Amino acid sequence: MKRLLVYLALCLPVSAHAALNVFACEPEWAALAKEIGGDDVKIYSATTAFQDPHRIEARPSLIAQMRRAALVVCTGAELETGWLPVLLRDAGNAAVQPGRPGYFEATRFVPLLEKPARLDRAEGDVHAQGNPHIHTDPRNIARVGAALGARLAEIDPVHAADYRARGEAFAARWQTAIARWEIRAAPLRNQPVAVQHKSFSYLLAWLGLREVVTLEPKPGVEPSVGHLARVAAQLQTAPAKMVLRAVYQSPRPADWLSQRTGMPAVALPYTVGGSERANDLFGLFDDTLDRLLKAVP
Amino acid sequence: MLRPAILATALAAAFPVYADADLDALRAELKEMKSTYEARIQALEARLQQADAAPAPIAAQADAAPPQGTAAGNRFNPDISLILQGKYAHLDDIEHRHISGFLPAGHDHGAPRGFSLDHTELVMSASIDPYFRGYMNLALLDEEVEIEEAWFQTTALGNGLSIRGGRFLSGLGYQNAQHPHAWDFADNNLMYRVLFGEAYGNDGVQLKWVAPTDLYMELGAEAGRGANFPGTDRNRNGAGSYALFGHLGGDVGASHSWRAGVSYLHAKANERDGDVDDLNDVEAETLFSGKSKTWMADFVWKWAPNGNASERNFKFATEYFRRSERGSLLCVDNPADGGACTGSEDATHSRQSGYYAQGVYQFMPRWRTGYRYDRLNPGSVDFGANNAFLPVSEYKPTRHSLMLDYSPSEFSRLRLQYSQDKSMEDLSENQWFVQYIHSLGSHGAHSF
């Protein structure tokens, strides 16, 4: 009890600090909020690049962070549907409830791909609104960044000018980087690839890579050996240059296929923190491109 | 869309008899087609890039664009899910199932032998307006619909506060707020069976507060009708029971998380019905009136490598209770069958305890295995003058359970369970269960 009181005494002044508490559901939004918010925000990322954002436990520590958040930045499109509603319900934080300015869903500012034609769980873990892995296309990051800057300015008007300045500076640097990446990625255009889960649809669409096969028989369903054998047979007739997976996904299916067909298995960082070089958004795409280019001679 | 390259390969594969010259001509033609297409695509992309170049218009576009579909839970229809559960139970033929040394707690749906359907649960929830959220859980049985939960909760109070009103499962302990489909075993643990039958639900209000600290800290208080065991319905104003609980929780590194708590329940009973076999082995009815106080402690620890639970994970949960009851007990017996205690009423008090501990390990995707140990202590029971008629047991009921479950997706689960049940004195029963749990409809989010 005594320790608890000491702990409380230590914690309370911190929570009263001026920096705006931002709760980011995924590391990419944490990194984006950092770019735009700078020292005016204190960011907590609910997940890491090594965790599957579909499957997160509504842990007590997340509820505690949600309780103090002034802004919640999440992907939306039902990516976090298994855990975010519990956090919002149990944290007792009115400012971040859906519909309030403190609740920000990135997918609302981006056109989504792969809207399912048929909404049926027989199709696996489908997302009614489309593929939620939008951040793998840097142009989407620019779109979300602009909206996030505006939202930060709305919630924290005292620092509105700072958010605008940092937002504009980031957008300029980001556009330069996109131009650079697009030139570098030219050899990737039209290259056929296999993917484990539809995590990279936006990345592939951006770079013009062709997704010839998905290892998962249905979204979110682990591939069986039988299914992988069929995929391998399919790749005999329509070969791919590489098989892609995110670091948080099991390496087994991609490695198995790689051994079977000889094409390289490439683990992409997927988000910020997914590799040593992907320590910010710029590093994420630098590293992603390096890994893709390495596999395409 | 067939790309020229694929087309070329496909054609080449399809017509192997073509002479080389013909093939070359075809290839040249395709190559030409390909280059024209690529030029067109590049022109289009150049235009797109120009459009993307200036960041400011994008922002304006994004704000002006109609929202993409709807945000999570933003439809006018409530989220609806239906849970189908059923089992096959291989059990001994035991006429009067009970747990030795403990009075039966309320309605306890023990599993019948053979095939049976468990509760079919229908769940609906939605935001009511900007201030409230509503939730309902119906348990459907033959010729019966039980409202397990039907409550509203505030969403706009802020400061970590929320108020819930209506019928709800109490925030006591750990497992209490979970519906049977979320249990890790096919049947309830012995502790909850003797405490509440299934779980403690109440009609009333709940106030909960989450502290603004890094360490998760939740405090809650409830007051309600208290009609369920260990209390009874009373024709009175005011609250029949109240509960207090507090929980702490946090992470240790990226791989470990925990939650621990203490809860207290105070309930009043008026002529609470119970069936006991008296010393002559005649079934006697007892009526208890008095106060029941329950203390509970709970601890949950979860592990997943790097916090990624989809491959492997482990969960440990344990709860302990101590219950004391004080009041009077009226014994109503059947003298024709040799019962002796008819009409005998005297002061009674008891102090009992027990616990369960369980571990569940997901050793590969889709597959989990678990072990649970139950143990109860009948403690001290004093029936006063009724000691002459009613048995006081020192037997400590125990049970070992082993389970293996397979979840083809997060919406379906099949389970096999074996239990060695020694909850009745002088009896060791081997129990087998095969169970299915399927959930249809909207994606229900589960608590920690």
Side-chain angles (χ1 to χ4, degrees):
Chain A
M1 196 64 200
K2 217 182 237 172
R3 275 178 67 184
L4 192 68
L5 285 175
V6 172
Y7 188 86
L8 265 178
L10 286 173
C11 284
L12 285 173
V14 176
S15 64
H17 190 259
L20 192 78
N21 280 313
V22 176
F23 179 102
C25 280
E26 287 88 19
E28 61 269 18
W29 309 132
L32 185 60
K34 187 76 204 160
E35 296 282 357
I36 298 168
D39 292 336
D40 295 326
V41 294
K42 189 164 155 261
I43 298 157
Y44 177 81
S45 177
T47 58
T48 72
F50 298 98
Q51 297 169 352
D52 183 345
H54 303 88
R55 289 178 199 158
I56 298 295
E57 294 263 0
R59 301 193 307 275
S61 59
L62 299 185
I63 298 173
Q65 293 295 335
M66 180 65 83
R67 158 74 170 87
R68 295 190 296 164
L71 175 65
V72 169
V73 184
C74 291
T75 300
E78 298 174 359
L79 179 66
E80 300 99 348
T81 188
W83 49 284
L84 184 61
V86 178
L87 305 184
L88 288 168
R89 185 189 75 201
D90 287 349
N93 185 341
V96 298
Q97 296 298 319
R100 296 295 192 92
Y103 181 77
F104 181 94
E105 270 187 3
T107 45
R108 295 186 69 121
F109 303 95
V110 169
L112 299 192
L113 300 177
E114 295 168 0
K115 285 189 191 171
R118 210 165 82 91
L119 264 189
D120 187 338
R121 285 271 157 71
E123 301 301 311
D125 198 1
V126 289
H127 298 271
Q129 294 158 52
N131 187 321
H133 306 287
I134 54 168
H135 72 278
T136 57
D137 179 346
R139 295 169 302 180
N140 284 343
I141 301 241
R143 295 185 179 112
V144 175
L148 182 60
R151 188 64 67 86
L152 278 166
E154 182 186 345
I155 290 174
D156 186 15
V158 180
H159 297 106
D162 297 329
Y163 295 130
R164 201 167 304 124
R166 275 191 295 258
E168 280 166 12
F170 170 73
R173 276 193 301 143
W174 195 246
Q175 292 304 333
T176 319
I178 290 179
R180 191 178 79 228
W181 291 324
E182 285 179 349
I183 292 166
R184 278 197 65 204
L188 296 172
R189 187 155 294 281
N190 269 324
Q191 298 289 353
V193 295
V195 297
Q196 185 154 328
H197 174 75
K198 286 194 170 288
S199 320
F200 299 109
S201 299
Y202 293 88
L203 176 75
L204 305 187
W206 170 51
L207 296 178
L209 286 154
R210 284 188 297 120
E211 183 185 307
V212 289
V213 69
T214 309
L215 271 51
E216 287 181 344
K218 304 271 181 191
V221 178
E222 285 266 327
S224 62
V225 174
H227 179 77
L228 285 179
R230 281 194 293 279
V231 169
Q234 196 183 332
L235 285 168
Q236 296 274 307
T237 48
K241 291 283 184 192
M242 59 187 118
V243 53
L244 300 178
R245 70 168 174 94
V247 282
Y248 72 78
Q249 285 156 353
S250 162
R252 279 192 306 271
D255 288 350
W256 186 90
L257 203 63
S258 167
Q259 276 172 12
R260 196 67 184 268
T261 60
M263 67 177 170
V266 180
L268 295 181
Y270 176 70
T271 184
V272 176
S275 70
E276 216 158 275
R277 286 188 60 209
N279 52 8
D280 65 4
L281 287 166
F282 293 92
L284 168 65
F285 284 94
D286 283 334
D287 194 32
T288 301
L289 283 188
D290 282 353
R291 285 170 193 239
L292 289 173
L293 286 165
K294 219 168 95 185
V296 176
Chain B
M1 195 173 73
L2 266 182
R3 297 286 178 134
I6 296 189
L7 202 64
T9 341
L11 284 176
F15 304 105
V17 287
Y18 261 57
D20 272 358
D22 287 350
L23 250 186
D24 284 344
L26 198 64
R27 277 191 189 125
E29 208 176 307
L30 281 172
K31 204 173 171 184
E32 205 188 331
M33 269 170 68
K34 191 178 159 191
S35 56
T36 28
Y37 274 129
E38 265 173 5
R40 274 185 181 177
I41 289 169
Q42 270 166 11
L44 275 172
E45 271 169 359
R47 277 168 64 190
L48 263 178
Q49 266 175 23
Q50 275 173 3
D52 280 353
I58 289 173
Q61 236 176 24
D63 284 338
Q68 297 295 319
T70 50
N74 201 12
R75 287 141 293 175
F76 282 120
N77 289 328
D79 291 335
I80 299 176
S81 57
L82 184 72
I83 292 153
L84 304 179
Q85 312 177 77
K87 64 162 79 92
Y88 173 82
H90 184 94
L91 306 170
D92 289 351
D93 188 8
I94 294 170
E95 199 183 338
H96 184 204
R97 279 188 183 276
H98 64 281
I99 297 174
S100 293
F102 288 81
L103 289 169
H107 65 299
D108 180 9
H109 312 277
R113 304 172 77 200
F115 291 98
S116 67
L117 193 67
D118 287 347
H119 287 182
T120 300
E121 283 178 43
L122 180 65
V123 188
M124 292 190 204
S125 68
S127 298
I128 295 167
D129 59 16
Y131 318 106
F132 297 105
R133 189 176 156 265
Y135 175 94
M136 179 191 74
N137 182 308
L138 296 180
L140 312 177
L141 298 135
D142 288 323
E143 292 153 34
E144 194 183 319
V145 177
E146 205 175 301
I147 301 178
E148 296 233 313
E149 295 192 78
W151 46 259
F152 69 88
Q153 186 180 28
T154 60
T155 56
L157 285 184
N159 300 312
L161 283 172
S162 62
I163 295 173
R164 195 178 275 197
R167 176 173 300 175
F168 51 86
L169 291 177
S170 167
L172 292 168
Y174 172 64
Q175 191 196 275
N176 194 67
Q178 293 177 359
H179 287 274
H181 72 264
W183 293 349
D184 289 319
F185 290 83
D187 54 356
N188 202 354
N189 58 61
L190 294 182
M191 166 174 159
Y192 273 80
R193 265 176 64 191
V194 298
L195 280 181
F196 311 124
E198 185 174 293
Y200 191 67
N202 207 350
D203 297 355
V205 288
Q206 178 194 65
L207 173 72
K208 223 165 68 170
W209 180 69
V210 179
T213 49
D214 267 335
L215 180 77
Y216 170 76
M217 194 185 326
E218 166 204 80
L219 298 172
E222 295 168 1
R225 182 165 195 86
N228 292 331
F229 193 93
T232 59
D233 211 353
R234 306 165 317 136
N235 182 16
R236 293 266 183 92
N237 291 321
S241 80
Y242 67 88
L244 298 168
F245 56 88
H247 287 108
L248 297 176
D251 290 344
V252 181
S255 305
H256 306 270
S257 53
W258 60 277
R259 199 189 84 153
V262 182
S263 318
Y264 174 71
L265 173 70
H266 181 102
K268 292 173 201 150
N270 185 27
E271 300 198 331
R272 187 183 74 201
D273 213 358
D275 291 320
V276 217
D277 286 350
D278 74 8
L279 288 174
N280 299 340
D281 262 348
V282 175
E283 196 176 311
E285 188 183 1
T286 61
L287 297 173
F288 169 80
S289 300
K291 286 175 183 164
S292 173
K293 299 171 186 175
T294 309
W295 281 97
M296 295 165 77
D298 62 275
F299 176 71
V300 186
W301 168 66
K302 292 189 183 186
W303 168 86
N306 286 319
N308 187 3
S310 49
E311 284 281 304
R312 285 180 305 139
N313 64 71
F314 179 75
K315 171 185 175 186
F316 173 79
T318 183
E319 292 186 74
Y320 171 82
F321 82 92
R322 186 171 271 274
R323 177 170 71 192
S324 64
E325 298 196 320
R326 189 171 283 277
S328 67
L329 192 79
L330 172 66
C331 181
V332 189
D333 216 344
N334 188 351
D337 288 346
C341 72
T342 297
S344 157
E345 181 168 8
D346 199 12
T348 179
H349 62 87
S350 65
R351 192 175 296 136
Q352 304 187 303
S353 63
Y355 68 91
Y356 75 91
Q358 66 185 43
V360 176
Y361 179 50
Q362 178 177 311
F363 51 95
M364 60 184 282
R366 301 177 176 194
W367 289 93
R368 306 192 311 162
T369 182
Y371 168 75
R372 177 180 66 190
Y373 179 66
D374 290 288
R375 188 180 175 87
L376 301 175
N377 186 347
S380 64
V381 179
D382 185 358
F383 292 122
N386 282 321
N387 280 338
F389 314 109
L390 298 175
V392 175
S393 169
E394 293 199 346
Y395 179 73
K396 294 181 173 62
T398 61
R399 185 174 61 178
H400 299 272
S401 307
L402 265 177
M403 76 88 185
L404 176 72
D405 68 23
Y406 171 67
S407 308
S409 76
E410 54 190 310
F411 304 101
S412 58
R413 178 165 284 164
L414 301 167
R415 179 179 287 148
L416 175 70
Q417 180 179 318
Y418 165 77
S419 294
Q420 189 191 47
D421 188 351
K422 292 181 180 168
S423 59
M424 292 172 72
E425 201 166 352
D426 304 326
L427 210 76
S428 173
E429 185 189 8
N430 292 317
Q431 304 174 330
W432 290 92
F433 300 98
V434 182
Q435 188 195 20
Y436 67 85
I437 304 165
H438 293 310
S439 77
L440 289 69
S442 80
H443 195 304
H446 277 146
S447 299
F448 183 67

